Amino acid sequence: MIIVFALLALGVLVGANWYLWRRLFRDTTRSAGPARRAGAALIAGGWALAVGALVAERAGAPFWLQQVLAWPGFLWLALSVYLLLAVVAGEVVRPLLRRFLERRARASAAAPADAEPVPAGVAATRAPAAEGARAPERAPEPAHPGAPPEDAPGPSRRLFVSRVVAGAAATAAVGTVGYGTYGVLRGPRVKRVTVPLAKLPRAAHGYRIAVVSDIHLGPVLGRDFAQKVVDTVNSTQPDIVAVVGDLVDGSVKNLGPAAAPLRRLRAPSYFVTGNHEYFSGAEQWVEEVRRLGLHPLENARTELPYFDLAGVNDIAGESEGQGPDFGRALGDRDTARACVLLAHQPVQIHEAVRHHVDLQLSGHTHGGQLWPGNFLAAAANPTVAGLERYGDTQLYVSRGAGAWGPPTRVGAPSDITVIELAATRA
């Protein structure tokens, strides 16, 4: 079954890229030549870099090689998505543009017949000097700036339309990916959300929790990005910081220096693992964040002055015997106290409801990261982003501070969320 799925996926990938090459290079050139060969090399080379970047990261290749492959490879992943979407959208524009040019050509050809009559005396003065002489012929004007003349053969007009649509598609795709990449590299913006909790005492009204998820330090986002995150968190002056997983994509050996700015977090900071920690050596990273001054909550709970703060391991830890244990984290607590749970994946909300958690803080989805990825994320998660209620439990999902794979976000801007708790007791 896995082989059949893999072959099907490969077939779709090859078909989609052949379609891209056809629309962007074959249909925009008159015959086989350097442009078509360059287009084939660009598409094949881009995917070779993308696959190489993914394999190098997962296989633990030398970090310098991961860095060399990551930027072009991951950016091609994002660019290919939007090239495909733009070219598909161009299929709607293509016949409309062709009809528009044809109408302009017909209107231009009919214009002399509709011209105002010229008086006889004037016409005589404009007659040829000698019988049988003819005025020099003039090439008809193009129907549209840059378009072929109306009497040009059909393929010329099709070529013009193909070039216009392909150029517009490429411009839209490059612009989208460029702006989405700039949005990630400039650093996350602060989002503020008020969450009322029925069990919260009045003394805790206005208590602030900075939620940081999915930083994804790795071969693309490094120490400078971590420093931006830390500076942004500190600027919000939270009471505590909750780092809810997917801090890194790589080993402590390679990324320890990149994570070092976390020691500058001013508020008490707590950490739970995400699925990517288990691809990167979770035990070593737990020890590293502890060394940096964060408090790991490995299926554990701490009693803060106004509420309980608990954390569970990510589901991915089950393969290593370190999966989430809600009973251990929440089983013997005083249910009269409010409880906030840190859990990387939103799907863990169902266990949180069963254990009478008041608020779960999660990440993992990236809000879809690259539209229309939000629809895929919605199919796999109960909440993609924002605050929702499940019975007596509320779930807040952050879009995350960084990005995985392409350092690009479209339709899902990165954020650091400041949760302000509100007491509802009279």
Side-chain angles (χ1 to χ4, degrees):
M1 186 64 183
I2 295 177
I3 295 176
V4 173
F5 180 78
L7 290 174
L8 180 62
L10 180 62
V12 170
L13 184 63
V14 170
N17 282 282
W18 176 85
Y19 169 69
L20 270 183
W21 174 82
R22 175 188 168 188
R23 284 308 196 196
L24 294 178
F25 297 98
R26 195 193 76 173
D27 291 356
T28 58
T29 52
R30 292 185 181 275
S31 60
R36 293 187 183 183
R37 290 193 292 272
L42 174 66
I43 293 175
W47 278 102
L49 288 169
V51 172
L54 291 167
V55 172
E57 183 180 297
R58 285 288 182 266
F63 195 59
W64 66 266
L65 179 59
Q66 294 185 43
Q67 291 175 306
V68 167
L69 294 172
W71 271 103
F74 287 140
L75 282 177
W76 174 256
L77 281 177
L79 183 60
S80 63
V81 168
Y82 290 103
L83 279 173
L84 183 61
L85 290 174
V87 169
V88 170
E91 298 298 348
V92 178
V93 177
R94 189 181 301 272
L96 298 178
L97 179 57
R98 190 174 297 162
R99 287 195 207 101
F100 171 75
L101 294 177
E102 290 171 354
R103 284 198 299 269
R104 289 289 299 269
R106 287 195 295 268
S108 178
D114 297 334
E116 293 183 6
V118 180
V122 176
T125 63
R126 294 182 183 177
E131 185 178 351
R134 298 181 59 190
E137 292 187 0
R138 182 180 178 185
E141 294 293 329
H144 189 269
E150 68 268 18
D151 60 346
S156 295
R157 184 169 288 137
R158 287 199 298 270
L159 185 65
F160 173 75
V161 170
S162 293
R163 287 175 175 175
V164 170
V165 174
T171 301
V174 171
T176 298
V177 172
Y179 184 75
T181 301
Y182 166 74
V184 170
L185 297 182
R186 74 183 176 189
R189 292 298 184 253
V190 175
K191 182 178 179 182
R192 299 181 184 274
V193 177
T194 299
V195 180
L197 296 182
K199 299 176 185 176
L200 192 72
R202 291 289 299 172
H205 186 80
Y207 194 98
R208 296 186 303 277
I209 305 173
V211 182
V212 187
S213 76
D214 302 281
I215 300 175
H216 286 286
L217 300 177
V220 174
L221 302 178
R223 186 186 181 100
D224 289 345
F225 186 77
Q227 187 62 58
K228 289 180 183 178
V229 171
V230 169
D231 291 344
T232 302
V233 171
N234 287 340
S235 71
T236 67
Q237 299 182 321
D239 294 290
I240 62 171
V241 179
V243 181
V244 291
D246 281 6
L247 171 63
V248 292
D249 283 304
S251 66
V252 172
K253 175 184 176 182
N254 291 331
L255 295 175
L262 293 175
R263 69 169 68 253
R264 302 192 186 102
L265 288 169
R266 297 188 190 125
S269 303
Y270 299 86
F271 170 81
V272 293
T273 55
N275 53 310
H276 282 248
E277 270 72 58
Y278 292 97
F279 307 148
S280 309
E283 290 185 10
Q284 292 84 358
W285 273 112
V286 167
E287 290 306 313
E288 180 66 10
V289 298
R290 182 179 282 116
R291 190 182 70 80
L292 294 174
L294 282 72
H295 307 287
L297 292 174
E298 298 183 273
N299 297 322
R301 181 180 75 256
T302 183
E303 293 185 359
L304 299 180
Y306 304 115
F307 59 91
D308 292 343
L309 182 69
V312 291
N313 295 347
D314 186 70
I315 299 168
E318 291 175 348
S319 61
E320 301 180 16
Q322 300 175 11
D325 188 337
F326 285 81
R328 179 178 164 192
L330 301 166
D332 59 348
R333 76 179 187 87
D334 180 3
T335 55
R337 284 171 56 89
C339 179
V340 176
L341 173 71
L342 311 184
H344 177 64
Q345 297 197 37
V347 294
Q348 295 172 285
I349 184 62
H350 305 297
E351 282 293 330
V353 171
R354 281 192 281 272
H355 286 83
H356 309 291
V357 168
D358 297 280
L359 173 64
Q360 175 178 315
L361 302 176
S362 298
H364 183 63
T365 68
H366 297 205
Q369 186 167 327
L370 296 172
W371 183 92
N374 55 305
F375 297 109
L376 296 176
N381 296 276
T383 297
V384 174
L387 182 68
E388 290 190 8
R389 177 177 288 277
Y390 294 83
D392 293 331
T393 303
Q394 296 180 82
L395 168 64
Y396 181 78
V397 181
S398 168
R399 291 190 179 97
W404 178 79
T408 310
R409 284 175 171 266
V410 177
S414 57
D415 70 64
I416 290 169
T417 304
V418 177
I419 298 288
E420 185 170 304
L421 302 181
T424 60
R425 291 180 178 177

